[in-house]
Amino acid sequence: MAKAFASQGDMSEKKISFTEVGEGLYAFTAEGDPNSGVIIGDDSVMIVEAQATPRLANKVIECVRSVTDKPISHVVLTHYHAVRVLGASAFGAQNIIMSDTARAMVVERGQEDWDSEFQRFPRLFEGHESIPGLTWPTTTFSDSMTVYLGNRRVDIKHLGRAHTAGDAVIHVPDQNVMFTGDIVEYHSACYCGDGHFGDWGKTLDNIKAYDVDAIAPGRGDALVGKDMVNAAIENTRDFVESTYRPAAKVAARGGSLKEAWDAVREACDPKFKDYAIYEHCLPFNVARAYDEARGIDTPRIWTAQRDLDMWDALQS
């Protein structure tokens, strides 16, 4: 292999922020690393996203304990990716929630995704020995479900395919705040390697229709205020479209994956090259955009070997 993935060389610790995005609602962020959310109810706490390992999950728990001593009763996982789910055991929650589709993807490709991401993100998987195995939900839903944390209502919904086929968002109506997972990012590259480019914009429209007052995105800073929320949604849309369009043009004329890579770089580097994890995401994003443009609706499963083969093809 010509050179390592960008993420393999990223070993510096990130600064953690714990930002209140509504009354009793918090975003745990870390300079482009995977975010988590915290929803404090009357008697217990819901966590959104479990981090990659119990070691990282304990950093979220430390922040939770700085604001409440209520027990953690629920963990909601917006999708199946290893960096989002494998820390779930640390929370000791009785209820772990995913969409039906996300659970099916754990069955289909959960181990392969773990092996692939473990290779790509050595820093995030420090302490991986404490991961007890794949994370399985105790509860799933098809289109939507509601959880009551005492009087606090939490709506969990599938608003369409985007980052994966099974993405969930979490809306807290009393504060009009949403936790979007990786459907929305802020000054962080979108990882599109398992995405659905053709649907992503419509799913963003569905989120935008809620006219929320704040969003805890999948990566990047908390988004507080409608102006910041809308700017992040439109910036995410631009990132996704700017990645897909050049790759689709290359695919339409029968061009190669390497040609798609060059075309996407030309379109995206000027706008997004300073975004967190941009260089890491780009090869996977181009490969998926090229596949979708050629009519492959279901993303192919990433394996540790497929990662290396793809990267070698792009470096040749």
Coordinates of all heavy atoms in Angstrom, one line a residue, residues 131-219:
I131 N -14.3 -4.3 25.0 CA -15.5 -4.5 24.2 C -16.0 -5.9 24.3 O -15.3 -6.9 24.0 CB -15.3 -4.1 22.7 CG1 -14.8 -2.7 22.5 CG2 -16.6 -4.4 21.9 CD1 -14.4 -2.3 21.1
P132 N -17.2 -6.2 24.8 CA -17.7 -7.6 25.0 C -18.1 -8.3 23.8 O -18.3 -9.5 23.8 CB -18.9 -7.4 26.0 CG -19.4 -6.0 25.7 CD -18.2 -5.2 25.3
G133 N -18.3 -7.6 22.7 CA -18.8 -8.2 21.4 C -19.7 -7.2 20.7 O -19.7 -6.0 21.0
L134 N -20.3 -7.6 19.6 CA -21.2 -6.8 18.9 C -22.3 -6.3 19.8 O -22.8 -7.0 20.7 CB -21.8 -7.5 17.7 CG -20.9 -7.9 16.5 CD1 -21.6 -8.8 15.6 CD2 -20.4 -6.6 15.8
T135 N -22.8 -5.0 19.5 CA -23.9 -4.5 20.3 C -25.2 -4.8 19.7 O -25.4 -4.5 18.5 CB -23.7 -2.9 20.4 OG1 -22.5 -2.6 21.1 CG2 -24.9 -2.3 21.2
W136 N -26.1 -5.4 20.4 CA -27.4 -5.7 19.9 C -28.5 -4.9 20.7 O -28.4 -4.7 21.9 CB -27.7 -7.2 20.1 CG -26.7 -8.1 19.4 CD1 -25.6 -8.7 19.9 CD2 -26.8 -8.4 18.0 NE1 -25.0 -9.4 18.9 CE2 -25.7 -9.2 17.7 CE3 -27.7 -8.1 17.0 CZ2 -25.4 -9.7 16.4 CZ3 -27.5 -8.6 15.7 CH2 -26.3 -9.4 15.4
P137 N -29.5 -4.5 19.9 CA -30.6 -3.7 20.6 C -31.5 -4.6 21.4 O -31.7 -5.8 21.1 CB -31.3 -3.1 19.4 CG -31.1 -4.0 18.3 CD -29.7 -4.6 18.5
T138 N -32.1 -4.1 22.4 CA -33.2 -4.8 23.2 C -34.5 -4.4 22.6 O -35.5 -5.2 22.7 CB -33.2 -4.4 24.6 OG1 -33.5 -3.0 24.7 CG2 -31.9 -4.7 25.3
T139 N -34.6 -3.3 21.8 CA -35.8 -2.8 21.2 C -35.5 -2.2 19.9 O -34.5 -1.5 19.7 CB -36.5 -1.7 22.1 OG1 -36.7 -2.2 23.4 CG2 -37.8 -1.2 21.5
T140 N -36.4 -2.5 18.9 CA -36.3 -1.9 17.6 C -37.6 -1.3 17.1 O -38.6 -1.6 17.7 CB -35.8 -2.9 16.5 OG1 -36.8 -3.9 16.4 CG2 -34.5 -3.6 16.9
F141 N -37.5 -0.4 16.1 CA -38.7 0.2 15.6 C -38.6 0.3 14.1 O -37.5 0.2 13.5 CB -38.9 1.6 16.2 CG -37.8 2.6 15.8 CD1 -38.1 3.4 14.7 CD2 -36.6 2.6 16.4 CE1 -37.1 4.3 14.3 CE2 -35.6 3.5 16.0 CZ -35.9 4.4 15.0
S142 N -39.8 0.4 13.4 CA -39.8 0.5 12.0 C -39.7 2.0 11.5 O -38.7 2.4 11.0 CB -41.0 -0.1 11.4 OG -41.1 0.0 10.0
D143 N -40.7 2.8 11.8 CA -40.8 4.2 11.3 C -40.5 5.1 12.5 O -39.9 6.1 12.4 CB -42.1 4.5 10.7 CG -42.3 3.7 9.4 OD1 -41.3 3.5 8.6 OD2 -43.4 3.1 9.2
S144 N -41.1 4.8 13.7 CA -41.0 5.7 14.8 C -41.4 5.0 16.1 O -42.1 4.0 16.1 CB -41.9 7.0 14.6 OG -43.2 6.7 14.6
M145 N -40.9 5.6 17.2 CA -41.4 5.1 18.5 C -41.2 6.3 19.5 O -40.5 7.2 19.2 CB -40.6 3.9 19.0 CG -39.1 4.2 19.3 SD -38.3 2.7 19.9 CE -39.0 2.6 21.6
T146 N -41.9 6.2 20.6 CA -41.8 7.3 21.6 C -41.4 6.6 22.9 O -41.9 5.6 23.3 CB -43.2 8.0 21.7 OG1 -43.4 8.7 20.5 CG2 -43.1 9.0 22.8
V147 N -40.5 7.3 23.6 CA -40.1 6.9 25.0 C -40.4 8.0 25.9 O -40.1 9.2 25.6 CB -38.6 6.6 25.0 CG1 -38.1 6.3 26.4 CG2 -38.2 5.4 24.1
Y148 N -41.0 7.7 27.0 CA -41.2 8.7 28.1 C -40.2 8.5 29.2 O -40.2 7.5 29.8 CB -42.7 8.7 28.6 CG -43.7 9.2 27.6 CD1 -44.3 8.4 26.7 CD2 -44.0 10.6 27.6 CE1 -45.2 8.9 25.7 CE2 -44.9 11.1 26.7 CZ -45.5 10.3 25.8 OH -46.4 10.8 24.9
L149 N -39.4 9.6 29.4 CA -38.5 9.6 30.6 C -39.3 10.4 31.7 O -39.0 11.6 31.9 CB -37.2 10.2 30.2 CG -36.4 9.6 29.1 CD1 -35.2 10.4 28.7 CD2 -36.0 8.1 29.4
G150 N -40.2 9.7 32.4 CA -41.1 10.4 33.2 C -42.1 11.2 32.3 O -42.7 10.7 31.4
N151 N -42.1 12.5 32.5 CA -43.0 13.4 31.7 C -42.3 13.8 30.4 O -43.0 14.4 29.5 CB -43.5 14.6 32.5 CG -44.4 14.2 33.6 OD1 -45.3 13.4 33.3 ND2 -44.3 14.9 34.7
R152 N -41.0 13.6 30.3 CA -40.3 14.1 29.1 C -40.5 13.1 27.9 O -40.1 11.9 28.0 CB -38.8 14.3 29.4 CG -38.0 14.5 28.2 CD -36.7 15.2 28.5 NE -36.8 16.7 28.3 CZ -35.9 17.6 28.4 NH1 -34.7 17.2 28.9 NH2 -36.1 18.9 28.2
R153 N -41.1 13.6 26.9 CA -41.3 12.8 25.7 C -40.1 12.8 24.7 O -39.6 13.9 24.5 CB -42.5 13.3 24.9 CG -42.8 12.6 23.6 CD -44.1 13.1 23.0 NE -44.2 12.5 21.7 CZ -45.4 12.3 21.0 NH1 -46.5 12.7 21.6 NH2 -45.4 11.8 19.8
V154 N -39.7 11.7 24.3 CA -38.6 11.6 23.3 C -39.1 10.8 22.1 O -39.5 9.6 22.3 CB -37.4 10.9 23.9 CG1 -36.2 10.8 22.9 CG2 -36.9 11.6 25.2
D155 N -39.1 11.4 20.9 CA -39.5 10.7 19.7 C -38.3 10.3 18.9 O -37.4 11.0 18.6 CB -40.4 11.7 18.8 CG -41.7 12.0 19.5 OD1 -42.3 11.2 20.2 OD2 -42.1 13.2 19.3
I156 N -38.3 9.0 18.5 CA -37.2 8.4 17.8 C -37.8 8.0 16.4 O -38.7 7.3 16.4 CB -36.6 7.2 18.5 CG1 -36.3 7.6 20.0 CG2 -35.4 6.6 17.8 CD1 -36.0 6.4 20.8
K157 N -37.2 8.5 15.4 CA -37.8 8.4 14.0 C -36.8 8.0 13.0 O -35.6 8.4 13.1 CB -38.5 9.7 13.6 CG -39.6 10.1 14.5 CD -40.1 11.5 14.1 CE -41.3 11.9 15.0 NZ -42.5 11.2 14.6
H158 N -37.2 7.3 12.0 CA -36.5 7.1 10.7 C -37.1 8.0 9.7 O -38.3 7.9 9.3 CB -36.6 5.6 10.3 CG -36.0 5.4 8.9 ND1 -34.7 5.5 8.7 CD2 -36.6 5.0 7.7 CE1 -34.4 5.2 7.4 NE2 -35.6 4.9 6.8
L159 N -36.3 9.0 9.3 CA -36.8 10.0 8.4 C -36.4 9.8 6.9 O -36.6 10.7 6.1 CB -36.4 11.4 8.8 CG -37.0 11.9 10.2 CD1 -36.5 13.3 10.5 CD2 -38.5 11.8 10.2
G160 N -35.7 8.7 6.7 CA -35.2 8.4 5.3 C -33.7 8.0 5.4 O -33.0 8.1 6.4
R161 N -33.3 7.4 4.2 CA -31.9 7.0 4.1 C -31.0 8.1 3.9 O -31.4 9.1 3.2 CB -31.8 6.0 2.9 CG -32.7 4.8 3.0 CD -32.4 3.7 2.0 NE -32.4 4.2 0.6 CZ -32.2 3.5 -0.5 NH1 -31.9 2.2 -0.3 NH2 -32.2 4.0 -1.7
A162 N -29.8 8.1 4.5 CA -28.8 9.1 4.3 C -27.4 8.5 4.5 O -26.8 7.9 3.6 CB -29.1 10.3 5.2
H163 N -26.9 8.7 5.7 CA -25.6 8.2 6.1 C -25.6 6.6 6.0 O -24.6 6.1 5.6 CB -25.3 8.7 7.5 CG -24.0 8.1 8.1 ND1 -22.8 8.5 7.6 CD2 -23.8 7.3 9.1 CE1 -21.8 7.9 8.4 NE2 -22.4 7.2 9.3
T164 N -26.7 6.0 6.4 CA -26.9 4.6 6.2 C -28.4 4.4 5.8 O -29.2 5.3 5.8 CB -26.6 3.7 7.4 OG1 -27.6 3.9 8.4 CG2 -25.2 4.1 8.0
A165 N -28.7 3.1 5.6 CA -30.1 2.9 5.2 C -31.0 2.9 6.5 O -32.3 3.1 6.3 CB -30.3 1.5 4.6
G166 N -30.5 2.8 7.7 CA -31.3 2.7 8.9 C -31.2 3.8 9.8 O -31.4 3.6 11.0
D167 N -30.8 5.0 9.4 CA -30.5 6.1 10.3 C -31.8 6.5 11.1 O -32.9 6.5 10.6 CB -30.2 7.4 9.4 CG -28.8 7.2 8.7 OD1 -28.0 6.5 9.2 OD2 -28.7 7.9 7.7
A168 N -31.5 6.8 12.4 CA -32.5 7.3 13.3 C -32.2 8.7 13.7 O -31.0 9.1 13.8 CB -32.7 6.4 14.5
V169 N -33.2 9.5 13.9 CA -33.0 10.8 14.6 C -33.8 10.8 15.9 O -34.8 10.1 16.0 CB -33.4 12.0 13.7 CG1 -32.6 12.0 12.4 CG2 -34.9 12.0 13.4
I170 N -33.4 11.7 16.8 CA -34.1 11.7 18.1 C -34.6 13.2 18.3 O -33.7 14.1 18.3 CB -33.2 11.3 19.3 CG1 -32.8 9.8 19.1 CG2 -33.8 11.4 20.6 CD1 -31.6 9.6 18.1
H171 N -35.9 13.4 18.5 CA -36.4 14.7 18.7 C -37.0 14.8 20.1 O -37.8 13.9 20.5 CB -37.5 14.9 17.6 CG -38.1 16.3 17.7 ND1 -39.4 16.5 17.8 CD2 -37.5 17.5 17.6 CE1 -39.7 17.9 17.8 NE2 -38.5 18.5 17.7
V172 N -36.7 15.9 20.8 CA -37.2 16.2 22.1 C -38.2 17.4 22.0 O -37.7 18.5 21.9 CB -36.1 16.5 23.1 CG1 -36.7 16.7 24.5 CG2 -35.1 15.3 23.1
P173 N -39.5 17.1 21.9 CA -40.4 18.2 21.5 C -40.5 19.4 22.5 O -40.7 20.5 22.1 CB -41.8 17.5 21.5 CG -41.5 16.1 21.3 CD -40.2 15.8 22.0
D174 N -40.3 19.1 23.8 CA -40.5 20.2 24.8 C -39.4 21.3 24.6 O -39.6 22.4 25.1 CB -40.5 19.7 26.2 CG -39.2 19.1 26.7 OD1 -38.2 19.8 26.9 OD2 -39.1 17.8 26.9
Q175 N -38.3 21.0 24.0 CA -37.2 21.9 23.7 C -37.0 22.2 22.2 O -36.2 23.0 21.8 CB -35.9 21.5 24.4 CG -35.9 21.5 25.9 CD -36.0 22.9 26.5 OE1 -35.1 23.7 26.3 NE2 -37.1 23.2 27.2
N176 N -37.7 21.4 21.4 CA -37.5 21.4 19.9 C -36.1 21.3 19.6 O -35.5 22.0 18.8 CB -38.1 22.7 19.3 CG -38.4 22.5 17.9 OD1 -38.6 21.4 17.3 ND2 -38.4 23.7 17.2
V177 N -35.5 20.2 20.1 CA -34.0 19.9 19.8 C -34.0 18.5 19.2 O -34.7 17.6 19.6 CB -33.2 19.9 21.2 CG1 -31.8 19.3 21.0 CG2 -33.1 21.4 21.7
M178 N -33.0 18.4 18.3 CA -32.9 17.1 17.6 C -31.4 16.6 17.7 O -30.5 17.4 17.6 CB -33.3 17.2 16.1 CG -33.3 15.9 15.4 SD -34.0 16.1 13.7 CE -35.8 16.2 14.0
F179 N -31.3 15.3 17.8 CA -30.0 14.6 17.7 C -30.1 13.8 16.4 O -30.9 12.9 16.2 CB -29.8 13.7 18.9 CG -29.8 14.4 20.2 CD1 -31.1 14.7 20.8 CD2 -28.7 14.7 20.9 CE1 -31.1 15.4 22.1 CE2 -28.7 15.3 22.1 CZ -29.9 15.7 22.7
T180 N -29.2 14.2 15.5 CA -29.3 13.7 14.1 C -28.4 12.6 13.7 O -28.5 12.1 12.6 CB -29.1 14.8 13.1 OG1 -27.7 15.3 13.2 CG2 -30.0 16.0 13.3
G181 N -27.4 12.2 14.6 CA -26.4 11.3 14.1 C -25.7 11.9 13.0 O -25.6 13.1 12.8
D182 N -25.1 11.0 12.1 CA -24.3 11.5 11.0 C -25.0 11.9 9.8 O -24.4 12.2 8.7 CB -23.3 10.4 10.7 CG -22.2 10.2 11.7 OD1 -21.7 11.2 12.2 OD2 -21.9 9.0 12.0
I183 N -26.3 12.1 9.9 CA -27.1 12.7 8.8 C -26.6 14.2 8.6 O -26.5 14.7 7.5 CB -28.6 12.7 9.0 CG1 -29.0 11.2 9.1 CG2 -29.3 13.3 7.8 CD1 -30.5 11.1 9.5
V184 N -26.4 14.9 9.7 CA -25.9 16.3 9.7 C -24.6 16.3 10.4 O -24.4 15.8 11.5 CB -26.9 17.2 10.4 CG1 -26.4 18.6 10.5 CG2 -28.3 17.1 9.8
E185 N -23.6 17.0 9.8 CA -22.3 17.3 10.4 C -22.0 18.8 10.4 O -22.7 19.5 9.6 CB -21.2 16.6 9.6 CG -21.5 15.1 9.3 CD -21.4 14.2 10.4 OE1 -21.6 14.6 11.6 OE2 -21.0 13.0 10.2
Y186 N -21.1 19.2 11.2 CA -20.7 20.6 11.2 C -19.2 20.7 11.1 O -18.5 20.3 12.1 CB -21.2 21.3 12.5 CG -20.9 22.8 12.5 CD1 -21.6 23.6 11.6 CD2 -20.0 23.3 13.4 CE1 -21.3 25.0 11.6 CE2 -19.7 24.7 13.4 CZ -20.4 25.5 12.5 OH -20.1 26.8 12.5
H187 N -18.7 21.3 10.0 CA -17.3 21.5 9.8 C -16.5 20.2 10.0 O -15.4 20.2 10.5 CB -16.7 22.6 10.6 CG -17.1 24.0 10.0 ND1 -16.3 24.6 9.0 CD2 -18.1 24.8 10.2 CE1 -16.9 25.7 8.7 NE2 -18.0 25.9 9.4
S188 N -17.2 19.1 9.7 CA -16.6 17.8 9.7 C -17.1 17.1 8.4 O -18.2 17.2 8.0 CB -17.0 17.0 10.9 OG -16.4 15.7 10.9
A189 N -16.2 16.4 7.7 CA -16.6 15.7 6.5 C -17.7 14.6 6.8 O -17.7 14.0 7.9 CB -15.4 15.0 5.9
C190 N -18.6 14.5 5.9 CA -19.6 13.4 6.0 C -18.9 12.1 5.6 O -18.3 12.1 4.5 CB -20.8 13.6 5.1 SG -21.7 15.1 5.5
Y191 N -19.1 11.0 6.3 CA -18.6 9.7 5.8 C -19.8 9.1 5.0 O -20.9 8.9 5.6 CB -18.3 8.8 7.0 CG -17.9 7.4 6.5 CD1 -16.7 7.1 5.9 CD2 -18.8 6.4 6.7 CE1 -16.4 5.9 5.4 CE2 -18.5 5.1 6.2 CZ -17.3 4.9 5.6 OH -17.1 3.6 5.1
C192 N -19.6 8.9 3.8 CA -20.6 8.5 2.8 C -20.4 7.0 2.3 O -21.0 6.6 1.4 CB -20.7 9.4 1.7 SG -20.8 11.2 2.1
G193 N -19.4 6.3 2.9 CA -19.1 5.0 2.4 C -20.2 4.0 2.5 O -20.1 3.0 1.7
D194 N -21.2 4.2 3.3 CA -22.3 3.3 3.4 C -23.6 4.1 3.1 O -24.7 3.7 3.6 CB -22.4 2.7 4.8 CG -21.2 1.8 5.1 OD1 -21.0 0.9 4.3 OD2 -20.4 2.2 6.0
G195 N -23.5 5.2 2.4 CA -24.6 6.2 2.3 C -25.4 6.0 1.1 O -25.2 5.1 0.2
H196 N -26.5 6.8 1.0 CA -27.4 6.8 -0.1 C -27.5 8.3 -0.6 O -28.3 9.1 -0.1 CB -28.8 6.3 0.4 CG -28.7 4.8 0.7 ND1 -28.9 3.8 -0.2 CD2 -28.4 4.2 1.9 CE1 -28.7 2.6 0.4 NE2 -28.4 2.9 1.7
F197 N -26.7 8.6 -1.5 CA -26.6 10.0 -2.0 C -27.9 10.5 -2.6 O -28.3 11.6 -2.3 CB -25.5 10.1 -3.1 CG -24.1 10.0 -2.6 CD1 -23.5 8.8 -2.6 CD2 -23.4 11.1 -2.2 CE1 -22.2 8.7 -2.1 CE2 -22.1 11.0 -1.7 CZ -21.5 9.8 -1.7
G198 N -28.6 9.7 -3.3 CA -29.9 10.1 -3.9 C -31.0 10.4 -2.9 O -31.9 11.2 -3.2
D199 N -30.9 9.8 -1.7 CA -31.9 10.1 -0.7 C -31.5 11.1 0.4 O -32.4 11.6 1.1 CB -32.2 8.8 0.1 CG -32.9 7.7 -0.8 OD1 -33.2 8.0 -2.0 OD2 -33.2 6.6 -0.3
W200 N -30.2 11.4 0.5 CA -29.7 12.2 1.6 C -30.4 13.6 1.6 O -30.8 14.0 2.7 CB -28.2 12.3 1.5 CG -27.5 12.6 2.8 CD1 -27.8 13.5 3.7 CD2 -26.3 11.9 3.2 NE1 -26.8 13.5 4.7 CE2 -25.9 12.5 4.4 CE3 -25.5 10.9 2.7 CZ2 -24.8 12.1 5.2 CZ3 -24.3 10.5 3.4 CH2 -24.0 11.1 4.6
G201 N -30.5 14.2 0.5 CA -31.1 15.5 0.5 C -32.5 15.6 0.9 O -32.9 16.5 1.6
K202 N -33.3 14.5 0.5 CA -34.7 14.5 1.0 C -34.8 14.3 2.5 O -35.7 14.8 3.1 CB -35.4 13.3 0.2 CG -35.6 13.6 -1.3 CD -36.3 12.4 -1.9 CE -35.3 11.3 -2.2 NZ -35.9 10.2 -3.0
T203 N -33.9 13.5 3.0 CA -33.8 13.3 4.5 C -33.5 14.6 5.2 O -34.0 14.9 6.2 CB -32.9 12.1 4.8 OG1 -33.3 11.0 4.1 CG2 -32.9 11.8 6.3
L204 N -32.5 15.3 4.6 CA -32.2 16.6 5.2 C -33.4 17.6 5.2 O -33.7 18.3 6.1 CB -31.1 17.3 4.4 CG -29.7 16.7 4.7 CD1 -28.7 17.3 3.7 CD2 -29.2 16.9 6.1
D205 N -34.2 17.5 4.1 CA -35.4 18.3 4.0 C -36.4 17.9 5.1 O -37.1 18.8 5.7 CB -36.1 18.1 2.7 CG -35.4 18.7 1.5 OD1 -34.5 19.6 1.8 OD2 -35.6 18.3 0.3
N206 N -36.5 16.6 5.4 CA -37.4 16.1 6.5 C -37.0 16.6 7.8 O -37.8 17.0 8.7 CB -37.5 14.6 6.5 CG -38.2 14.1 5.2 OD1 -39.0 14.8 4.6 ND2 -37.9 12.8 4.9
I207 N -35.7 16.7 8.0 CA -35.1 17.3 9.3 C -35.4 18.8 9.3 O -35.9 19.3 10.4 CB -33.6 17.0 9.4 CG1 -33.4 15.5 9.7 CG2 -33.0 17.9 10.5 CD1 -31.9 15.1 9.6
K208 N -35.2 19.4 8.2 CA -35.4 20.9 8.2 C -36.8 21.3 8.5 O -37.1 22.3 9.0 CB -34.9 21.4 6.8 CG -34.7 22.9 6.7 CD -34.0 23.3 5.5 CE -33.7 24.8 5.5 NZ -32.9 25.2 4.3
A209 N -37.8 20.4 8.1 CA -39.2 20.7 8.3 C -39.6 20.8 9.8 O -40.6 21.4 10.1 CB -40.0 19.6 7.6
Y210 N -38.7 20.2 10.6 CA -39.0 20.4 12.1 C -38.7 21.8 12.6 O -39.1 22.1 13.7 CB -38.2 19.3 12.9 CG -38.8 17.9 12.9 CD1 -38.7 17.1 11.8 CD2 -39.5 17.5 14.0 CE1 -39.3 15.8 11.8 CE2 -40.0 16.2 14.1 CZ -40.0 15.4 13.0 OH -40.5 14.2 13.0
D211 N -37.9 22.5 11.9 CA -37.5 23.9 12.3 C -37.0 23.9 13.7 O -37.5 24.7 14.6 CB -38.8 24.8 12.1 CG -38.4 26.3 12.2 OD1 -37.3 26.6 11.8 OD2 -39.3 27.1 12.6
V212 N -36.1 23.1 14.0 CA -35.6 22.9 15.4 C -34.8 24.1 15.8 O -34.2 24.8 15.0 CB -34.8 21.6 15.6 CG1 -35.7 20.4 15.3 CG2 -33.6 21.5 14.7
D213 N -34.7 24.2 17.1 CA -33.9 25.3 17.7 C -32.5 24.9 18.0 O -31.6 25.8 18.2 CB -34.6 25.7 19.1 CG -35.9 26.3 18.9 OD1 -36.1 27.2 18.0 OD2 -36.9 25.9 19.6
A214 N -32.2 23.7 18.0 CA -30.8 23.2 18.1 C -30.7 21.8 17.6 O -31.6 21.0 17.6 CB -30.4 23.3 19.6
I215 N -29.4 21.5 17.2 CA -29.1 20.1 16.8 C -27.8 19.7 17.4 O -26.8 20.5 17.4 CB -29.0 20.0 15.2 CG1 -30.4 19.9 14.6 CG2 -28.1 18.8 14.8 CD1 -30.3 19.9 13.1
A216 N -27.8 18.5 17.9 CA -26.5 17.8 18.2 C -26.1 17.0 17.0 O -26.8 15.9 16.8 CB -26.6 17.0 19.5
P217 N -25.2 17.4 16.2 CA -24.8 16.6 15.0 C -24.0 15.4 15.3 O -23.6 15.1 16.5 CB -24.1 17.6 14.2 CG -23.3 18.5 15.2 CD -24.3 18.5 16.4
G218 N -23.7 14.6 14.2 CA -22.9 13.4 14.4 C -21.5 13.7 14.8 O -20.8 13.0 15.6
R219 N -20.9 14.7 14.1 CA -19.6 15.2 14.4 C -19.6 16.7 14.3 O -20.4 17.3 13.6 CB -18.6 14.6 13.3 CG -18.4 13.1 13.4 CD -17.4 12.7 12.3 NE -17.3 11.2 12.2 CZ -16.4 10.5 12.8 NH1 -15.4 11.1 13.5 NH2 -16.4 9.2 12.6

